[in-house]
Amino acid sequence: MTQTVVFQHGQAFLAAVSERWNYQILREVFFGVHRFGELKRGLGISATMLTARLNHLTELGLLEKHAYREDKAWYEYRLTEGARELVVPAIVAVTRWAESHAEGEAAPARALLHTSCGYETEPYLACSHCHQSIEAADLQPLPAKEAASTEEAAGEADLG
């Protein structure tokens, strides 16, 4: 039975991906490492721990497994659509931050392809209203009631 992650203000998501191995597994699966043996070798994780983490991520609905051999129960792991929507932006942001803040010799950034246009891209956070890029200092949270009334006022202004 699949247990879907319930996201309450990001707590369940952060708990799932902040666990050391879960984050690394999700990151590697996103970047194209799909098979058990490849994950085990690349991460330096024990088979027992990897099996437990893959099963947990599958139960949470973040990974799905697909048999790739008919003669043996060998699987590839892929991100689910839900995981791609939520996990990919987080993985890209954390990975890019780590690449740019690494001490010593910086590892080259992994290239990302925007499949819609076919060009290599560097994703960024942008405002849905003006489409300018957003930096951390550009954001200020609004209280829940103020956010709702601000949206209502903006809608009324557009209608008037």
Side-chain angles (χ1 to χ4, degrees):
M1 179 175 151
T2 300
Q3 170 193 353
T4 305
V5 175
V6 177
F7 299 99
Q8 295 183 354
H9 302 291
Q11 293 173 9
F13 167 71
L14 288 175
V17 298
S18 65
E19 193 279 329
R20 172 187 174 200
W21 292 117
N22 286 352
Y23 168 76
Q24 291 183 50
I25 291 166
L26 291 168
R27 181 196 64 213
E28 291 306 304
V29 170
F30 169 69
F31 281 111
V33 180
H34 301 288
R35 295 183 177 178
F36 185 92
E38 295 170 332
L39 288 164
K40 183 179 175 300
R41 283 187 299 278
L43 296 172
I45 185 174
S46 73
T48 303
M49 179 61 76
L50 180 56
T51 298
R53 297 291 89 214
L54 288 169
N55 287 339
H56 183 64
L57 291 167
T58 301
E59 288 172 9
L60 289 173
L62 297 173
L63 291 179
E64 52 192 19
K65 63 183 189 178
H66 302 276
Y68 69 92
R69 295 223 12 201
E70 292 181 21
D71 59 331
K72 296 183 180 183
W74 288 5
Y75 299 96
E76 290 186 334
Y77 294 85
R78 306 267 176 189
L79 295 173
T80 62
E81 263 320 296
R84 291 190 67 76
E85 291 174 13
L86 189 56
V87 174
V88 170
I91 288 173
V92 170
V94 170
T95 301
R96 286 299 192 245
W97 182 89
E99 290 167 346
S100 67
H101 290 82
E103 291 186 21
E105 190 175 320
R110 295 188 187 186
L112 297 169
L113 176 73
H114 184 222
T115 57
S116 294
C117 70
Y119 286 92
E120 193 171 309
T121 187
E122 190 57 45
Y124 65 93
L125 186 61
C127 175
S128 61
H129 181 73
C130 70
H131 307 291
Q132 291 184 5
S133 67
I134 296 174
E135 302 297 327
D138 299 333
L139 292 175
Q140 178 180 343
L142 296 174
K145 288 184 179 182
E146 187 176 329
S149 63
T150 301
E151 289 176 12
E152 289 172 9
E156 290 172 7
D158 289 342
L159 296 175

PDB file of all heavy atoms in Angstrom, residues 89 122-136 138-139:
ATOM      1  N   PRO A  89      12.545  21.083  -8.035  1.00  0.00           N
ATOM      2  CA  PRO A  89      12.994  22.454  -7.736  1.00  0.00           C
ATOM      3  C   PRO A  89      13.850  22.536  -6.466  1.00  0.00           C
ATOM      4  O   PRO A  89      14.834  23.279  -6.429  1.00  0.00           O
ATOM      5  CB  PRO A  89      11.686  23.233  -7.567  1.00  0.00           C
ATOM      6  CG  PRO A  89      10.688  22.451  -8.346  1.00  0.00           C
ATOM      7  CD  PRO A  89      11.094  21.011  -8.183  1.00  0.00           C
ATOM      8  N   GLU A 122      19.529  27.515 -16.818  1.00  0.00           N
ATOM      9  CA  GLU A 122      19.847  27.731 -15.414  1.00  0.00           C
ATOM     10  C   GLU A 122      18.563  28.248 -14.768  1.00  0.00           C
ATOM     11  O   GLU A 122      18.251  29.433 -14.862  1.00  0.00           O
ATOM     12  CB  GLU A 122      20.986  28.743 -15.267  1.00  0.00           C
ATOM     13  CG  GLU A 122      21.541  28.843 -13.870  1.00  0.00           C
ATOM     14  CD  GLU A 122      22.038  27.519 -13.323  1.00  0.00           C
ATOM     15  OE1 GLU A 122      22.738  26.788 -14.040  1.00  0.00           O
ATOM     16  OE2 GLU A 122      21.705  27.207 -12.167  1.00  0.00           O
ATOM     17  N   PRO A 123      17.778  27.364 -14.130  1.00  0.00           N
ATOM     18  CA  PRO A 123      16.490  27.784 -13.572  1.00  0.00           C
ATOM     19  C   PRO A 123      16.652  28.844 -12.484  1.00  0.00           C
ATOM     20  O   PRO A 123      17.672  28.905 -11.806  1.00  0.00           O
ATOM     21  CB  PRO A 123      15.921  26.504 -12.961  1.00  0.00           C
ATOM     22  CG  PRO A 123      16.721  25.403 -13.516  1.00  0.00           C
ATOM     23  CD  PRO A 123      18.048  25.969 -13.898  1.00  0.00           C
ATOM     24  N   TYR A 124      15.643  29.666 -12.352  1.00  0.00           N
ATOM     25  CA  TYR A 124      15.630  30.671 -11.307  1.00  0.00           C
ATOM     26  C   TYR A 124      14.194  30.909 -10.874  1.00  0.00           C
ATOM     27  O   TYR A 124      13.253  30.588 -11.591  1.00  0.00           O
ATOM     28  CB  TYR A 124      16.285  31.982 -11.775  1.00  0.00           C
ATOM     29  CG  TYR A 124      15.541  32.669 -12.903  1.00  0.00           C
ATOM     30  CD1 TYR A 124      14.590  33.652 -12.640  1.00  0.00           C
ATOM     31  CD2 TYR A 124      15.786  32.335 -14.228  1.00  0.00           C
ATOM     32  CE1 TYR A 124      13.911  34.273 -13.670  1.00  0.00           C
ATOM     33  CE2 TYR A 124      15.107  32.958 -15.264  1.00  0.00           C
ATOM     34  CZ  TYR A 124      14.170  33.929 -14.974  1.00  0.00           C
ATOM     35  OH  TYR A 124      13.487  34.546 -15.981  1.00  0.00           O
ATOM     36  N   LEU A 125      14.046  31.499  -9.718  1.00  0.00           N
ATOM     37  CA  LEU A 125      12.738  31.836  -9.182  1.00  0.00           C
ATOM     38  C   LEU A 125      12.342  33.202  -9.726  1.00  0.00           C
ATOM     39  O   LEU A 125      13.139  34.135  -9.707  1.00  0.00           O
ATOM     40  CB  LEU A 125      12.813  31.880  -7.649  1.00  0.00           C
ATOM     41  CG  LEU A 125      11.521  32.090  -6.875  1.00  0.00           C
ATOM     42  CD1 LEU A 125      10.539  30.958  -7.154  1.00  0.00           C
ATOM     43  CD2 LEU A 125      11.831  32.168  -5.386  1.00  0.00           C
ATOM     44  N   ALA A 126      11.110  33.297 -10.259  1.00  0.00           N
ATOM     45  CA  ALA A 126      10.650  34.558 -10.839  1.00  0.00           C
ATOM     46  C   ALA A 126       9.269  34.913 -10.299  1.00  0.00           C
ATOM     47  O   ALA A 126       8.490  34.048  -9.920  1.00  0.00           O
ATOM     48  CB  ALA A 126      10.605  34.458 -12.357  1.00  0.00           C
ATOM     49  N   CYS A 127       8.978  36.187 -10.288  1.00  0.00           N
ATOM     50  CA  CYS A 127       7.681  36.699  -9.843  1.00  0.00           C
ATOM     51  C   CYS A 127       6.612  36.332 -10.877  1.00  0.00           C
ATOM     52  O   CYS A 127       6.801  36.543 -12.078  1.00  0.00           O
ATOM     53  CB  CYS A 127       7.757  38.217  -9.684  1.00  0.00           C
ATOM     54  SG  CYS A 127       6.166  38.980  -9.282  1.00  0.00           S
ATOM     55  N   SER A 128       5.493  35.826 -10.413  1.00  0.00           N
ATOM     56  CA  SER A 128       4.408  35.459 -11.327  1.00  0.00           C
ATOM     57  C   SER A 128       3.704  36.693 -11.890  1.00  0.00           C
ATOM     58  O   SER A 128       3.000  36.602 -12.884  1.00  0.00           O
ATOM     59  CB  SER A 128       3.390  34.565 -10.613  1.00  0.00           C
ATOM     60  OG  SER A 128       2.821  35.255  -9.514  1.00  0.00           O
ATOM     61  N   HIS A 129       3.920  37.849 -11.288  1.00  0.00           N
ATOM     62  CA  HIS A 129       3.276  39.077 -11.758  1.00  0.00           C
ATOM     63  C   HIS A 129       4.147  39.823 -12.775  1.00  0.00           C
ATOM     64  O   HIS A 129       3.720  40.099 -13.885  1.00  0.00           O
ATOM     65  CB  HIS A 129       2.931  39.988 -10.576  1.00  0.00           C
ATOM     66  CG  HIS A 129       2.254  41.258 -10.976  1.00  0.00           C
ATOM     67  ND1 HIS A 129       0.949  41.292 -11.403  1.00  0.00           N
ATOM     68  CD2 HIS A 129       2.720  42.526 -11.047  1.00  0.00           C
ATOM     69  CE1 HIS A 129       0.632  42.531 -11.706  1.00  0.00           C
ATOM     70  NE2 HIS A 129       1.696  43.306 -11.494  1.00  0.00           N
ATOM     71  N   CYS A 130       5.386  40.155 -12.385  1.00  0.00           N
ATOM     72  CA  CYS A 130       6.245  40.967 -13.261  1.00  0.00           C
ATOM     73  C   CYS A 130       7.310  40.148 -13.986  1.00  0.00           C
ATOM     74  O   CYS A 130       7.999  40.668 -14.845  1.00  0.00           O
ATOM     75  CB  CYS A 130       6.907  42.092 -12.462  1.00  0.00           C
ATOM     76  SG  CYS A 130       8.166  41.524 -11.296  1.00  0.00           S
ATOM     77  N   HIS A 131       7.479  38.894 -13.619  1.00  0.00           N
ATOM     78  CA  HIS A 131       8.406  37.947 -14.253  1.00  0.00           C
ATOM     79  C   HIS A 131       9.882  38.270 -14.019  1.00  0.00           C
ATOM     80  O   HIS A 131      10.741  37.701 -14.676  1.00  0.00           O
ATOM     81  CB  HIS A 131       8.114  37.802 -15.754  1.00  0.00           C
ATOM     82  CG  HIS A 131       6.689  37.459 -16.027  1.00  0.00           C
ATOM     83  ND1 HIS A 131       6.130  36.250 -15.706  1.00  0.00           N
ATOM     84  CD2 HIS A 131       5.689  38.206 -16.554  1.00  0.00           C
ATOM     85  CE1 HIS A 131       4.857  36.243 -16.043  1.00  0.00           C
ATOM     86  NE2 HIS A 131       4.552  37.430 -16.551  1.00  0.00           N
ATOM     87  N   GLN A 132      10.195  39.178 -13.097  1.00  0.00           N
ATOM     88  CA  GLN A 132      11.588  39.456 -12.755  1.00  0.00           C
ATOM     89  C   GLN A 132      12.079  38.369 -11.813  1.00  0.00           C
ATOM     90  O   GLN A 132      11.303  37.780 -11.063  1.00  0.00           O
ATOM     91  CB  GLN A 132      11.714  40.821 -12.092  1.00  0.00           C
ATOM     92  CG  GLN A 132      11.453  41.972 -13.031  1.00  0.00           C
ATOM     93  CD  GLN A 132      11.679  43.321 -12.350  1.00  0.00           C
ATOM     94  OE1 GLN A 132      12.113  43.403 -11.209  1.00  0.00           O
ATOM     95  NE2 GLN A 132      11.384  44.388 -13.070  1.00  0.00           N
ATOM     96  N   SER A 133      13.385  38.116 -11.839  1.00  0.00           N
ATOM     97  CA  SER A 133      13.930  37.105 -10.936  1.00  0.00           C
ATOM     98  C   SER A 133      13.786  37.583  -9.492  1.00  0.00           C
ATOM     99  O   SER A 133      13.749  38.783  -9.215  1.00  0.00           O
ATOM    100  CB  SER A 133      15.390  36.814 -11.265  1.00  0.00           C
ATOM    101  OG  SER A 133      16.193  37.923 -10.988  1.00  0.00           O
ATOM    102  N   ILE A 134      13.683  36.631  -8.589  1.00  0.00           N
ATOM    103  CA  ILE A 134      13.476  36.927  -7.175  1.00  0.00           C
ATOM    104  C   ILE A 134      14.671  36.420  -6.382  1.00  0.00           C
ATOM    105  O   ILE A 134      15.085  35.274  -6.540  1.00  0.00           O
ATOM    106  CB  ILE A 134      12.198  36.234  -6.642  1.00  0.00           C
ATOM    107  CG1 ILE A 134      10.956  36.780  -7.345  1.00  0.00           C
ATOM    108  CG2 ILE A 134      12.081  36.382  -5.129  1.00  0.00           C
ATOM    109  CD1 ILE A 134       9.678  36.044  -6.969  1.00  0.00           C
ATOM    110  N   GLU A 135      15.208  37.278  -5.545  1.00  0.00           N
ATOM    111  CA  GLU A 135      16.260  36.910  -4.601  1.00  0.00           C
ATOM    112  C   GLU A 135      15.618  36.811  -3.219  1.00  0.00           C
ATOM    113  O   GLU A 135      14.525  37.338  -3.003  1.00  0.00           O
ATOM    114  CB  GLU A 135      17.369  37.970  -4.599  1.00  0.00           C
ATOM    115  CG  GLU A 135      18.012  38.195  -5.957  1.00  0.00           C
ATOM    116  CD  GLU A 135      18.734  36.972  -6.493  1.00  0.00           C
ATOM    117  OE1 GLU A 135      19.291  36.199  -5.673  1.00  0.00           O
ATOM    118  OE2 GLU A 135      18.726  36.771  -7.716  1.00  0.00           O
ATOM    119  N   ALA A 136      16.301  36.184  -2.288  1.00  0.00           N
ATOM    120  CA  ALA A 136      15.738  36.000  -0.945  1.00  0.00           C
ATOM    121  C   ALA A 136      15.332  37.333  -0.312  1.00  0.00           C
ATOM    122  O   ALA A 136      14.280  37.429   0.327  1.00  0.00           O
ATOM    123  CB  ALA A 136      16.733  35.272  -0.051  1.00  0.00           C
ATOM    124  N   ASP A 138      14.156  39.833  -1.667  1.00  0.00           N
ATOM    125  CA  ASP A 138      13.010  40.428  -2.355  1.00  0.00           C
ATOM    126  C   ASP A 138      11.668  39.888  -1.860  1.00  0.00           C
ATOM    127  O   ASP A 138      10.627  40.343  -2.314  1.00  0.00           O
ATOM    128  CB  ASP A 138      13.086  40.147  -3.863  1.00  0.00           C
ATOM    129  CG  ASP A 138      14.326  40.739  -4.505  1.00  0.00           C
ATOM    130  OD1 ASP A 138      14.839  41.746  -3.986  1.00  0.00           O
ATOM    131  OD2 ASP A 138      14.774  40.178  -5.514  1.00  0.00           O
ATOM    132  N   LEU A 139      11.688  38.895  -0.986  1.00  0.00           N
ATOM    133  CA  LEU A 139      10.442  38.267  -0.534  1.00  0.00           C
ATOM    134  C   LEU A 139      10.126  38.630   0.905  1.00  0.00           C
ATOM    135  O   LEU A 139      11.016  38.682   1.750  1.00  0.00           O
ATOM    136  CB  LEU A 139      10.541  36.741  -0.645  1.00  0.00           C
ATOM    137  CG  LEU A 139      10.612  36.182  -2.048  1.00  0.00           C
ATOM    138  CD1 LEU A 139      10.826  34.676  -1.990  1.00  0.00           C
ATOM    139  CD2 LEU A 139       9.357  36.502  -2.828  1.00  0.00           C
TER     140      LEU A 139
END
